[in-house]
Amino acid sequence: MKLLREQPLFFFLFPVLFYLLGYTEYGHYIRLSQIGMPILVFSILVVIIYLISKRVFIYHRKAALISIFLFGIGYCFFGDIKAALNQSPLPFLSKYPVMLLLLLGTPVVTYLWLRVRNKITDSLVEYVNYLTILLCVMQLVFIYQRKDTFVSSVKPISFSATAVTTKPDIYLVVFDAYPGQISLKDYFQFDNSPTIQHLRDNGYFVPDTFQSNYNLTIGSMNSEFNMQYVNSKALYPWNHFNLYLKSFRAIRDAHLILFLQQQHYRIVNNSIFELGNTPQQFEFPILKKGLDAIHLKMLHQQLWRHFSWIVNKGKWKNDFLFRRGYLRGHLLNQDILKATLAPKQDKSPQFMYSHVVMPHDPYFTDSTGKLLDFDHITAYRDTFRTFFIDYLKYTNQRLRNLADSLVSMHPDAIIILQSDHGWRQYPEAKRHLMYNNFLAIHLPDSAYQQLQPLHSNVNLFRILLNHYFDQRLPLLPDSSFYVDEEKNIFEPISIPFQR
């Protein structure tokens, strides 16, 4: 066809192809409507580049467009190419200087070669047009074939249909990476008993020993909300996006959330996840979602991921980027704590989930709440334990105030303060300590005897639903698993303090 031989359709189809490829890979975890605006923005950018090229490359425009197209492929799939080269027999090719040289050099060499070969250029334009159209059609076919092929990683749970008349409000506040008493005494020689005693004096049940089932937030919350251990086979491979995207959907459609919605609970979501039909209110930079999985492949995202520290410290520090990137997490934590104490909007029963990323690193403040700058923290990596304990002391202040306020405001509610896992920077010999985490519960009827069998996160809501909602869910054995996304490891781990 004359049109395919003379017009660079591939150039304008590239944004569509890029997002269709991403949607084919992550379509079960991204709504098709979500890629519409990115395609439009990308297409506008492509049209601008095309118009500029028409003025700059008057005599060799096709050669220039093919070269720019090659650059676009390298730019947009930089992360995938880097990962592939790193696993190749020549891993040095994945180094940034080498890859950037290839990214810039390959289009230049291609342009210089094609500008004196017009016949080859015309044939190449036709070939790339057909190839691009074919790939787009193939992706659409794959998307259609996969639309009803989603297999849940969660096993069904049978709930009894008992009518429940009393439906207490439930407030769940997760303090990310808050360690338990055993690990704090063993590794940090820190006595956290004043905070524990403060909670107990105010009516909270705080077990002496408690363990998480996973060393990752995504595993812990998936398991806790679905009241079962995650299906490791269904989540394989256990790399960052596969593990996270499947777990995001499992948390969104979790058994606990669907059960509470059936009981006509209003879901108040101050967390970092979607819950049912309630979107998350807070977006933390460290947590990547569906579209991020596509965009993270791009060169600028890879550079920001690996070199953003440059604009957070020293003479290159940029205050705007510092606040938007590094300091944003601290500001979000403050907003979440504030939102947790917001008054109820109506009289319907309420389930509120707030997720505070503290005392998880980065350790933004000292023990009094005074902000630390990035320079100070990174300059003293050998004293990171001191920074953590200082940040934990500040977290304890906020936790105690929150605990007191919640009991005062909602005395008839179930109030749960917990962590998803403990601190994670232990040496190999102390790895088990990362599973020693924190739990404090305030029950409206003080029926704390029901919590005696509770030793890990996975059984928390099984026990609460059995007691308050007349369910008959059997308790699961307490186990813990170690997950390493970089090494693709998912394995059970023995916990010496396990009861």
Side-chain angles (χ1 to χ4, degrees):
M1 291 177 61
K2 185 177 180 181
L3 177 66
L4 294 178
R5 185 173 180 81
E6 296 183 355
Q7 299 301 322
L9 299 181
F10 63 86
F11 200 75
F12 301 102
L13 285 174
F14 181 66
V16 177
L17 177 60
F18 175 71
Y19 281 100
L20 285 179
L21 286 167
Y23 189 80
T24 302
E25 186 173 2
Y26 302 112
H28 287 312
Y29 316 102
I30 306 173
R31 297 184 182 91
L32 189 59
S33 59
Q34 289 180 280
I35 67 174
M37 184 57 69
I39 289 177
L40 177 61
V41 173
F42 197 172
S43 298
I44 292 173
L45 177 62
V46 164
V47 170
I48 293 173
I49 294 174
Y50 175 77
L51 294 175
I52 293 174
S53 69
K54 284 186 68 175
R55 297 185 65 87
V56 175
F57 301 100
I58 299 175
Y59 301 107
H60 305 286
R61 182 166 52 87
K62 291 181 181 179
L65 290 176
I66 291 175
S67 301
I68 296 172
F69 182 68
L70 287 176
F71 176 82
I73 293 174
Y75 188 99
C76 291
F77 295 97
F78 188 89
D80 286 345
I81 297 171
K82 190 175 191 302
L85 290 174
N86 191 46
Q87 298 296 322
S88 72
L90 300 173
F92 75 92
L93 292 175
S94 67
K95 302 297 182 182
Y96 271 100
V98 178
M99 287 201 64
L100 292 175
L101 181 62
L102 291 173
L103 178 64
L104 296 173
T106 302
V108 171
V109 172
T110 301
Y111 172 72
L112 294 175
W113 183 72
L114 288 177
R115 63 183 294 181
V116 295
R117 293 169 173 82
N118 291 331
K119 291 185 178 181
I120 294 178
T121 301
D122 290 339
S123 299
L124 192 57
V125 166
E126 183 178 19
Y127 170 77
V128 177
N129 276 337
Y130 276 114
L131 179 62
T132 305
I133 293 172
L134 176 63
L135 288 174
C136 286
V137 172
M138 288 175 60
Q139 301 315 306
L140 291 172
V141 172
F142 293 152
I143 290 170
Y144 178 79
Q145 289 176 337
R146 294 184 59 193
K147 66 182 180 69
D148 297 318
T149 61
F150 176 76
V151 178
S152 175
S153 61
V154 179
K155 298 177 181 178
I157 291 181
S158 178
F159 295 102
S160 64
T162 305
V164 179
T165 56
T166 302
K167 300 177 182 178
D169 291 336
I170 304 172
Y171 291 85
L172 171 65
V173 185
V174 174
F175 285 84
D176 207 305
Y178 193 112
Q181 299 177 77
I182 291 176
S183 53
L184 287 173
K185 288 181 179 179
D186 183 301
Y187 191 70
F188 293 95
Q189 291 78 53
F190 179 76
D191 182 12
N192 204 32
S193 59
T195 295
I196 303 302
Q197 193 58 49
H198 176 92
L199 293 169
R200 288 172 174 168
D201 290 343
N202 282 274
Y204 283 85
F205 170 80
V206 185
D208 293 327
T209 302
F210 196 66
Q211 73 183 66
S212 64
N213 305 106
Y214 300 90
N215 59 312
L216 297 179
T217 298
I218 201 73
S220 292
M221 301 317 299
N222 183 349
S223 174
E224 183 169 324
F225 281 178
N226 282 295
M227 296 173 281
Q228 60 186 266
Y229 291 100
V230 301
N231 186 340
S232 60
K233 291 182 179 179
L235 296 179
Y236 183 84
W238 307 301
N239 56 51
H240 182 86
F241 283 117
N242 197 59
L243 177 66
Y244 275 63
L245 291 177
K246 289 183 178 179
S247 294
F248 286 144
R249 180 159 179 168
I251 292 171
R252 185 192 71 191
D253 302 331
H255 290 313
L256 173 67
I257 304 304
L258 297 180
F259 175 83
L260 292 175
Q261 287 179 329
Q262 290 170 359
Q263 297 294 326
H264 306 293
Y265 269 72
R266 179 173 176 268
I267 307 298
V268 180
N269 189 1
N270 298 323
S271 82
I272 53 182
F273 306 106
E274 289 185 49
L275 299 178
N277 54 10
T278 309
Q280 74 275 23
Q281 299 299 315
F282 301 93
E283 293 275 1
F284 276 84
I286 61 173
L287 200 61
K288 303 300 182 183
K289 299 298 179 69
L291 278 176
D292 296 322
I294 299 176
H295 293 152
L296 194 63
K297 302 173 182 180
M298 294 182 166
L299 173 61
H300 66 279
Q301 292 280 5
Q302 291 286 310
L303 292 174
W304 179 256
R305 182 183 181 188
H306 293 109
F307 301 107
S308 60
W309 57 269
I310 294 175
V311 297
N312 285 327
K313 60 176 294 186
K315 65 179 182 178
W316 301 106
K317 179 179 176 181
N318 181 284
D319 287 338
F320 173 78
L321 294 176
F322 177 73
R323 290 182 64 84
R324 181 174 175 81
Y326 171 73
L327 197 57
R328 181 183 171 195
H330 173 70
L331 300 175
L332 286 171
N333 283 331
Q334 309 312 306
D335 290 341
I336 292 172
L337 289 169
K338 182 179 179 181
T340 303
L341 297 177
K344 283 186 65 175
Q345 294 186 8
D346 53 50
K347 294 183 179 180
S348 61
Q350 173 174 284
F351 173 79
M352 176 185 286
Y353 169 33
S354 297
H355 197 112
V356 186
V357 186
M358 56 190 297
H360 192 291
D361 62 285
Y363 311 131
F364 292 110
T365 74
D366 63 12
S367 60
T368 67
K370 180 182 177 181
L371 279 173
L372 301 174
D373 61 47
F374 193 89
D375 293 347
H376 187 63
I377 293 176
T378 55
Y380 298 97
R381 286 290 186 186
D382 57 330
T383 59
F384 61 90
R385 283 200 283 182
T386 301
F387 284 114
F388 172 72
I389 291 300
D390 282 346
Y391 197 45
L392 177 65
K393 291 177 180 178
Y394 169 68
T395 301
N396 280 342
Q397 295 176 25
R398 303 306 304 270
L399 186 151
R400 289 195 296 266
N401 292 337
L402 183 73
D404 295 349
S405 298
L406 286 174
V407 170
S408 175
M409 296 171 63
H410 313 288
D412 297 324
I414 298 172
I415 302 171
I416 307 165
L417 310 175
Q418 66 161 95
S419 58
D420 45 357
H421 53 77
W423 194 71
R424 293 188 298 205
Q425 281 72 48
Y426 298 105
E428 183 70 22
K430 298 282 187 179
R431 178 194 286 180
H432 62 277
L433 291 177
M434 71 175 70
Y435 298 88
N436 178 225
N437 65 332
F438 170 79
L439 176 70
I441 302 182
H442 189 281
L443 299 179
D445 55 2
S446 300
Y448 295 117
Q449 70 280 357
Q450 66 169 310
L451 299 178
Q452 294 305 316
L454 179 61
H455 306 308
S456 68
N457 297 39
V458 70
N459 283 316
L460 173 59
F461 283 103
R462 283 180 174 259
I463 288 177
L464 293 177
L465 293 191
N466 286 347
H467 181 74
Y468 291 101
F469 296 88
D470 296 329
Q471 298 300 307
R472 300 292 183 268
L473 302 174
L475 299 190
L476 304 178
D478 297 300
S479 301
S480 295
F481 298 85
Y482 176 73
V483 184
D484 188 320
E485 307 150 81
E486 297 293 332
K487 298 180 181 178
N488 206 28
I489 294 174
F490 196 120
E491 61 188 15
I493 183 171
S494 176
I495 307 295
F497 49 82
Q498 192 175 58
R499 293 188 294 177

